Amino acid sequence: MSTFVTGTELPSKSFFINRAALVAYANASGDQNPIHQNEEFAKAVGLENVIAHGMYTMGLVSQYVAEIASGSEKVQEFAARFTKPVVVPAGVDVELIVSAVVGEVTENTAKLEITATCNEVKVLGMTKAVILL
Amino acid sequence: MLNPDLVGRTFAGTNSTTITQESIEAFALALGETKSDVAPPTFAITISLEQSQSVLVDSGLDWSRVVHGDQRFLVNKPLQAGDVITCNSTIESARVVAGNEIITVRSDLIESDQVAVSSWSTLVFRA
């Protein structure tokens, strides 16, 4: 994609989050907090069930952004607020739907205003990226 | 409770980390990405959060009560295999809301005397 126009809605993409993916992310990132893997533990600390690492969800969104930007190296700025946990029951592929609208465009950058939802609930807030054109 | 005197203070990282191709590939793959010439934008968290944790735990905070509130990255130079990174962490702000302590730490990942990536993590220590 070569031109970005403010206000353009970019096509959405779905990612599927399951328990095995959370274990893989825990191993790759070093974040072994049991609330992301162990249902008994998660429930014991008052959570509905195992929840995804916020950074895992943000990482999936980064792949969406990198695809739009034509490469991770083009992502200059990336931010998100972890507003709602992504609950991941055993044996379920939880769908994360990511979409974006083009915000401010300069000569060499474009801002993306991103939405990420699971079960029609926004799981990230204030999610923005600046990509290099 | 964090000592307010620590706000604004920078803690220089004492150890350096060499980024390996294997660690980038494993991280990328966990996100479903097969290209791994540079690290994914969020890879910096694997270095910055450990440093923030050690600074805040040494400052008396209970890491078992932490929740990640928000996160921002500013990339000057994407991380790649072979980079030797030192990480300096600055406690930028600390406030208490409804008994929860909300602390923002900026981590500068430095490669060859230049800031490659800055990472801001806002961490909520639950009451």
Side-chain angles (χ1 to χ4, degrees):
Chain A
M1 197 186 305
S2 56
T3 52
F4 287 87
V5 177
T6 302
T8 306
E9 291 183 25
L10 300 172
S12 68
K13 183 170 177 175
S14 289
F15 296 87
F16 293 90
I17 302 175
N18 59 36
R19 291 279 181 90
L22 298 186
V23 173
Y25 182 77
N27 292 335
S29 69
D31 183 347
Q32 297 286 355
N33 188 329
I35 60 171
H36 306 304
Q37 298 187 38
N38 181 328
E39 184 165 332
E40 248 177 77
F41 184 92
K43 288 178 173 169
V45 296
L47 295 166
E48 180 185 332
N49 206 321
V50 163
I51 62 169
H53 310 72
M55 285 306 304
Y56 175 63
T57 306
M58 190 175 179
L60 294 176
V61 174
S62 83
Q63 297 311 302
Y64 174 80
V65 173
E67 197 175 317
I68 291 167
S70 305
S72 284
E73 69 279 7
K74 299 280 187 72
V75 182
Q76 185 183 54
E77 210 176 324
F78 184 38
R81 180 164 292 176
F82 305 108
T83 45
K84 287 271 189 271
V86 175
V87 177
V88 185
V92 176
D93 289 329
V94 178
E95 186 178 18
L96 172 75
I97 302 173
V98 185
S99 61
V101 177
V102 179
E104 189 190 1
V105 179
T106 70
E107 202 177 316
N108 40 28
T109 64
K111 194 171 194 176
L112 305 178
E113 312 276 350
I114 301 157
T115 305
T117 62
C118 283
N119 300 314
E120 296 177 12
V121 174
K122 282 187 190 183
V123 292
L124 298 178
M126 311 279 286
T127 312
K128 294 174 200 301
V130 176
I131 60 173
L132 299 171
L133 302 178
Chain B
M1 191 68 75
L2 188 76
N3 179 342
D5 292 346
L6 295 179
V7 175
R9 189 173 297 182
T10 297
F11 298 81
T14 47
N15 301 318
S16 63
T17 305
T18 302
I19 297 177
T20 63
Q21 186 61 29
E22 292 71 30
S23 65
I24 292 177
E25 280 173 15
F27 191 88
L29 202 59
L31 300 177
E33 172 64 81
T34 49
K35 281 186 295 182
S36 52
D37 38 343
V38 301
T42 61
F43 180 82
I45 200 75
T46 65
I47 296 169
S48 66
L49 205 56
E50 195 177 297
Q51 171 82 359
S52 302
Q53 176 175 357
S54 93
V55 165
L56 294 175
V57 169
D58 288 350
S59 304
L61 290 161
D62 178 359
W63 197 255
S64 73
R65 306 207 61 80
V66 78
V67 175
H68 204 162
D70 67 51
Q71 179 62 40
R72 179 156 83 92
F73 299 99
L74 182 61
V75 181
N76 299 311
K77 182 181 138 338
L79 300 176
Q80 53 191 346
D83 284 354
V84 179
I85 301 291
T86 52
C87 179
N88 297 338
S89 297
T90 304
I91 300 177
E92 285 204 331
S93 69
R95 60 202 169 95
V96 177
V97 176
N100 299 317
E101 215 170 345
I102 303 171
I103 296 175
T104 299
V105 182
R106 187 185 84 235
S107 302
D108 290 325
L109 279 66
I110 296 164
E111 208 275 324
S112 303
D113 294 329
Q114 309 257 348
V115 178
V117 178
S118 291
S119 160
W120 286 260
S121 296
T122 297
L123 302 166
V124 181
F125 291 83
R126 290 174 296 131

